Amino acid sequence: MKKGNDHGKHKYGMVIDIDKCTGCGTCMVACAAENNVSVRADQSDKERTITWMRLYKISNGKEFPHTEVSYFPRPCMHCDHHPPCVSVCVATATKLDFNTGIVSQIYTRCIGCRYCQAACPYGARYFNWWDAFPQDKGMDRYLTPEVSPRMRGVVEKCTFCHHRLMRAKTLAYAEDRRELEEGEYVTACTEACPAQAITFGDLNNPEHEVSKLIKHPFTFRLLERIGTEPKVYYHSSRDWVRKLGDNFLPGEYTPVVNKTWAEEEWSTKPGRDEF
Amino acid sequence: MDSPLLPHGVKRCSTWAFFFWTLPWLALLAWGGLSAFLCLWKGLNQTNMSNVFAFALWIVFDLAVIALGAGAFFTGFLTYIMGQKELKNIIKPAVIIGFICYSGAMAMLGIDIGQPIRGWFIFWHANIHSMLVEVSFCITCYLMVLAIEFIPIILENRKLEEIKELRIFGHSLHEIMAVFAATGTFLSFFHQGSLGGMFGVMYARPFAAREGFYIWPWTFFLFVLSAIACGPCFTILCTKLTEFFSRKKLVPDSAIQLLAKISAWLLSLYMVLKIADYLGWMYGIIPRSGLTFESFFREGPYGVYLVVCEIIVCGILPAIILMVPKGRQNQGWLIIACLLNCTGIVLNRFLFIVVTLAIPVMPFDRFWGYLPTWQEWGIGFAVIGYGFLLFSAAYRYLPIFPKERELNPITE
Amino acid sequence: MKLTRRNFIAAVIGGVAGIQATPLPWKLTDDVAIWTQNWPWVPVPPTGEFAEVSSVCNLCPGGCGIAVKKVDERAIKIEGRTDYPVNPGGICPVGMGGLQLLYDESLRFTGPMKRAGLRGAGQFTEISWGEAFDIVAGRISTLRKKGMPEAIAAVDGNPEGTTVSALIKRLMRAMGSPNYVRPPSITDTYRMGNLLMQGTLSPMAYDLENSDYVLSFGAGLLEGWGAPGRVMNAWGMWHDGNPSKRKTRIVQVESRASNTASKADMWVAPRPGTDGALALGLAHVIIKSGQYDARFVAEHSSGFDDWRSLEGTTHTGFKRLVLEKYSPEQVAKITGVNPKTIVSLAKGFASAKAPVAVYGKGKDSLNGSLYEFMAVQSLNALVGSINRSGGVLLPDPIPLSNLPILKVDAIASEGLKKPRLDQAGTMRYPFTDSLINNFTDAINNSPKSPVDTLLVFSANPFFTLPDGGGFKNALEKIPFIVSFSPYRDETANMADLILPDCTYLEKINDTVWPTGLQYPLYGLSKPVVEPLYNTRNTGDVVIELSRAIGESVGAGFPWENFEEALQARAKGLFDAGGGLVSYDSDAPAWQRKTAGKGPKPGYKSFDEMWEEMQSGGMWYRPVSSPKSWKGLFNTPSGKFEFSSKLIAQAIEDYSNKISKKAALKNMSLAAIDDEACMAHYEAPKAGADSSAYPLRMLPYEMMNLASGWIPSPPFLYKTIFENQLLKDKSFAAVNPKTAAKYNLKEGELVAVKSPVGELQVRINLFEGAMPGIVYLPLGFGHTAYDEFLKGKGVNPNNIVQAGQDPISGYPVWWNTPVKLVKV
Ligand SMILES: Nc1nc2c(c(=O)[nH]1)N[C@H]1C(S)=C(S)[C@@H](COP(=O)(O)OP(=O)(O)OC[C@H]3O[C@@H](n4cnc5c(=O)[nH]c(N)nc54)[C@H](O)[C@@H]3O)O[C@H]1N2
Ligand SMILES: Nc1nc2c(c(=O)[nH]1)N[C@H]1C(S)=C(S)[C@@H](COP(=O)(O)OP(=O)(O)OC[C@H]3O[C@@H](n4cnc5c(=O)[nH]c(N)nc54)[C@H](O)[C@@H]3O)O[C@H]1N2
Ligand code: SF4
Ligand code: SF4
Ligand code: SF4
Ligand code: SF4
Ligand code: SF4
Ligand SMILES: [Mo]
């Protein structure tokens, strides 16, 4: 390998603001539309239906009228440390790109052993249990040539819309630039979110919004303590939400001081009673 | 009808009786064949596996069968490397059982992967970090070794023996069997271990995750040990089963007892280490992941009783029975102990596969259930049918028990 | 060599070994592996030239700007536009899945068709457009010749004010039928409320982006209320702090922990249908504590204090009514909300800088209640949030040109004199334009359908009306039904003739003033792709149909095609001046500009403007400084009316005609005299014996499921949770306490029975459900379309027993008595 390459130069990641997230599901639909994800007549079978981006509904579990629900939009975390799925893959069909931090998936390489699915704790990997697409309905007419439709028997997952990176780079190169500006490469879910709950960028670039957001005390990651080092971060002013981001032994979780952007207590949700 | 093919000087049932005996096993094979066809033709949607239960019944079967098949390499190791001549009386059935187990497992794996035709990518695009690659390489090689070990046994068939070249070929193979036994031992050590390693390295799955030595998590060594602790017991069980159906004594007690004794020691050692492993996991990995022991055994069929069964009923108990000479000398207790031992290992593999996947790691994720479809059972049972058929045929047509003639003189 | 067994074996072994040494097995292995990568049944999307077309989504009245990515002639992705004022950036999941509605052939009619099977079976045979026009025109001409043009009726689901809707209305008038009805929507309630309290006919204009305290009474801000693209965008903005750099506080008043309720800063849960009482409770606290805007009340309102009429009678004012009847304790009894909460809520609202109280009922796809709206609007008035930044604005109506005056012939003018079947606009429903539930009843209650030919435009009343299946029965009675739907929806499946419209991505169309927006906006969508099938823009079809009918009807439609009609109306936008046709995200439309400043329109002639509108898809006038108070309120008093003089007059007129008692009964009023003219609370009349039906069913809506005329793109079902829909069963959300009463467990199958029907659902135990209420999701239970949508779950509308809202007569669909029975 040539010395002085940009090994580890970029580290793309996202921050999802759970307070802003409306639970609308646009990110899920956008992802499916962008990435030629297959649809089937019965998609209530959540163990088998393919959703690279998936909303998990969470609740504070309190009784009426103190109940709250919220959502974790969950793409692939693009685990940074030794991605569990990558090291196990038999056919090197999934790789961590050290230049971008993106965990890729090569469908035509995958043999469908599903070891990666067993290893991923986030349920981010999906197997093609069926042949991809409804036949004879004309729906293949909206498929984009930028992303290959998958064949039966292989695993697929969120790629951080890798083709968008390629697209952005191609454009930049055409303009004789080597580096991308912030915002030139964003994922389909980021772009689609009507509440701007998702921010995407280079975590290694201190100028990028994401690298500022991840320093906030309300920012956390899912299952941080098992050490997968996800590059997807979440942000919430609500302690019960943050607490659901990981497993904690009784008494282990320390609430974050309720301070906010504007240092105003109002943007944290006060208990109903105090209000 | 087939009398010219039968070994010299032993008694076998009539061709018809043998034919009827094979029918149920052929039926299982047919069921499996249909299942396999459907899975290959229509895809794995024929199973109830899912993105949650990415590994399921078949992998449990595979791992169980491979552990049980460890009798082959381990007996070979004892016979040829350690020079336990007594075991020559049982080495051939052990090899055949091994061959059945491994070839069955490979066949099942071929159906289990979503793109069987690309299976060879494992070798071509091998990812050296993947334990499964290590498993695949070793098992493939070892299956070849087993085939080589099986060949001279086949060549001992009365008719084949008549062909001079084959006879010489077979005998020469026999001469160098120690080389293959050594190779087999080496390969087996690694693939049995890697099967354990497959789970131990999944560090993001706290149920399976283990620390270990260098690149090998503790499960690597535990799987090797548990396999060699139960393999001999499985060989004993198969022998006893053959003796039961043929209503003959086929293997001298000395061989059986030796295997049982070795198994006892290994099982005891395994139990000590396994308990230590459980404790280390409970007080190390689990709390570090923010979880408690109970969190893994919270629902329905995945109760904590599984662990109790694995350790006490199917571990400590058979270890004691086998360890006490009186216990293992009693036929009833011996069989019970072997059964428990084998069950315990299967349970261990089940836990590692199914519980690992069934228990969600994200606190807000839900628990899913899984029941195999008839197609999945079909493939599983076909391996059993295949085993019975192959072993019966081997017993019928090959002199696999050297002491059979001696123990059952034909008095006409 | 002789073939012996020995050399046979040798040959086989040698052969096998030999072949390994050739490239054959390796080549074959490689080939089969390549074959698995090229299975012929895996689609291979052709590539080509990439392009992007800007347009406007009109799958809902929200009118988001969309950018459609194309590869050659294929549309491959819909994205939100950042250069569009409504939704700068994102769109909703329905719009995101829009391409499936274009390309899923089995959802669509591919050309004009005639019914071939039984009604509802969905079997049709293709005919030509000529034949289709002959059939409709022939039938209409016959009816007109027989002197019964009123037997033609139309259901029009196109948003109010759009050009296609204007043309349909015009066609009905030209033919001579008064029976033009529309499915109800919240905008009807707004329109009526604004007319009665403010005397304005402009749409409701909530200045949400500039507000620092949004108190939503039932509006599903995150469930699809208003223009969803705009509201969700505001939602994100509110969290980053509004222009005054304070985080906007959001309070949701709703009985269920919906997304909005959960994600708001505070959730208050009154019993369904008591929102009005709660608003009046807040008014009580605000008045009592003197926190109200005394200046607004004194200078710009009427009916606040008691007053004496010319005849000398003393009338109760809003203040006395509220102080006497809506103390926190009294309100707590009605609503179930803690009095302390009412007090603190009132204080928070009154002390905010720019508070706004928003009224709604879930999405805007169904109507609300007039008095509830008045109660909420009274709150806005009390704190002076009317005609103030961050409150409710009173913009001028959008300056579209009127269509030329229509000359009707004698047949038509006779027909137009006939009473409307729905009685809208009569003394009984003096302020209502259209009452489709009455229309349905009129058909169902007469032995022979008074409607001979029904034309259905952009509506699926069979599925969407909360009428317990009434419209379906009416459809069965109507002799001839013509559907203009592009989709194979339930209503279309009942039709005898289909004149299919193009989908929204295949045609030119307009959206007029997305619901709730605080500034006028006219959106123009354009064909993103050529029509895929033999379908035609209904705008064009209406014009062609008028010609086919001929006589004065045809003469009323002087335009060559629909685009000309659009231009004719848009001319007014040019004449009015000051409208922008492009958007700069640094100057959002809601940002207040002092008059004369801000971006200037760049066009010089109408043609230039039209051209830019076609490429940009918009005309809008950004919010400007507050309007002068002079002449702002067009009410009889010229002020904001807490007590509506129009209502007083209407009740008096009707009482003079029939007895007062009968009048009040017909108007569904329990209150009398002054109270009836003001916001007040009336308990909905109990429809059924509450011991037989101890629970209440409340339909609820979701952002990620279309519950109106538009089918849900199949992608949306990925977003539905397995405790909302599992295989063919949808779920009722029930509080665990309520479920325990009936011994029901999670996932258990139950029948929800109302006096008008029953549905089978599974139970979902949800802590966020109010005890005693059964919540059923709207949007499931289709019996039409294709396997993606058909037979999934149940449609709660089928068991709604709707009462009538006082004065307005709209259906009260939020109070159906039900019981749960284990299956
Ligand atoms: N959604 C989606 N995802 C995909 C695919 C898809 O079609 N759709 N395609 C898949 C396929 S086929 C592939 S190959 C992968 C590609 O995935 P990647 O391998 O991640 O491809 P690139 O993004 O091109 O990244 C290559 C990196 O190498 C760096 N580089 C360039 N030259 C050199 C060099 O000389 N030395 C070193 N060390 N680095 C260098 C570049 O700067 C860049 O960061 O994406 C896969 N992922
Ligand atoms: N600008 C830019 N260019 C690149 C790269 C980059 O990073 N940037 N990366 C390069 C790399 S690493 C690669 S691998 C190539 C990939 O380049 P390509 O191979 O051209 O692109 P793909 O998107 O992988 O898929 C190719 C086509 O195969 C179709 N297809 C998918 N499945 C099947 C199937 O089962 N059968 C058949 N017959 N067709 C199928 C897809 O729809 C698509 O039209 O691009 C290279 N070019
Ligand atoms: S699109 Fe945005 S708001 Fe909607 S669910 Fe996804 S992250 Fe949440
Ligand atoms: S989230 Fe799962 S699939 Fe994604 S990188 Fe991590 S382990 Fe792999
Ligand atoms: S399923 Fe595919 S990607 Fe996953 S481990 Fe196996 S070969 Fe690798
Ligand atoms: S980053 Fe791209 S691939 Fe990943 S979830 Fe978002 S849209 Fe899907
Ligand atoms: S909110 Fe309405 S207009 Fe906007 S994208 Fe969704 S359906 Fe289309
Ligand atoms: Mo590639």
Side-chain angles (χ1 to χ4, degrees), chain C residues 436-452:
Chain C
I436 196 166
N437 283 33
N438 281 358
F439 174 81
T440 311
D441 290 345
I443 295 169
N444 287 336
N445 295 341
S446 41
K448 184 171 166 286
S449 169
V451 173
D452 172 83

Side-chain angles (χ1 to χ4, degrees), chain A residues 75-79 83-86 103 116 119-125 157 228:
Chain A
C76 164
M77 300 288 135
H78 295 269
C79 301
C85 56
V86 168
V103 176
C116 52
C120 170
Y122 300 101
R125 300 187 144 262
K157 70 160 191 78
T228 49

Side-chain angles (χ1 to χ4, degrees), chain A residues 222-242:
Chain A
L222 294 185
L223 302 179
E224 213 157 329
R225 47 198 300 174
I226 54 178
T228 49
E229 301 287 336
K231 286 192 282 283
V232 174
Y233 291 73
Y234 295 87
H235 177 99
S236 174
S237 63
R238 297 175 193 195
D239 261 310
W240 72 266
V241 171
R242 290 195 298 264

Side-chain angles (χ1 to χ4, degrees), chain A residues 144-149 151 162 166 170, chain C residues 36-39 42-45:
Chain A
T144 161
E146 284 188 290
V147 181
S148 325
M151 60 290 296
H162 189 273
M166 299 203 206
T170 310
Chain C
T36 65
Q37 302 178 17
N38 294 284
W39 278 341
V42 177
V44 183

Side-chain angles (χ1 to χ4, degrees), chain B residues 306-366:
Chain B
L306 286 175
V307 180
V308 176
C309 256
E310 183 202 349
I311 299 296
I312 299 175
V313 184
C314 300
I316 297 174
L317 187 62
I320 294 171
I321 299 175
L322 291 174
M323 190 64 89
V324 179
K326 269 208 185 127
R328 63 173 179 262
Q329 277 153 16
N330 175 303
Q331 287 299 301
W333 283 116
L334 175 68
I335 288 171
I336 288 174
C338 288
L339 268 176
L340 286 177
N341 184 354
C342 294
T343 313
I345 301 311
V346 173
L347 205 53
N348 173 266
R349 304 304 193 254
F350 172 86
L351 278 162
F352 262 103
I353 294 157
V354 174
V355 179
T356 295
L357 302 187
I359 303 299
V361 190
M362 291 187 292
F364 48 84
D365 206 350
R366 62 161 279 196

Side-chain angles (χ1 to χ4, degrees), chain C residues 360-375:
Chain C
K361 280 229 183 274
K363 281 184 191 177
D364 41 27
S365 54
L366 290 170
N367 61 282
S369 149
L370 176 63
Y371 285 124
E372 277 183 8
F373 172 81
M374 288 175 69

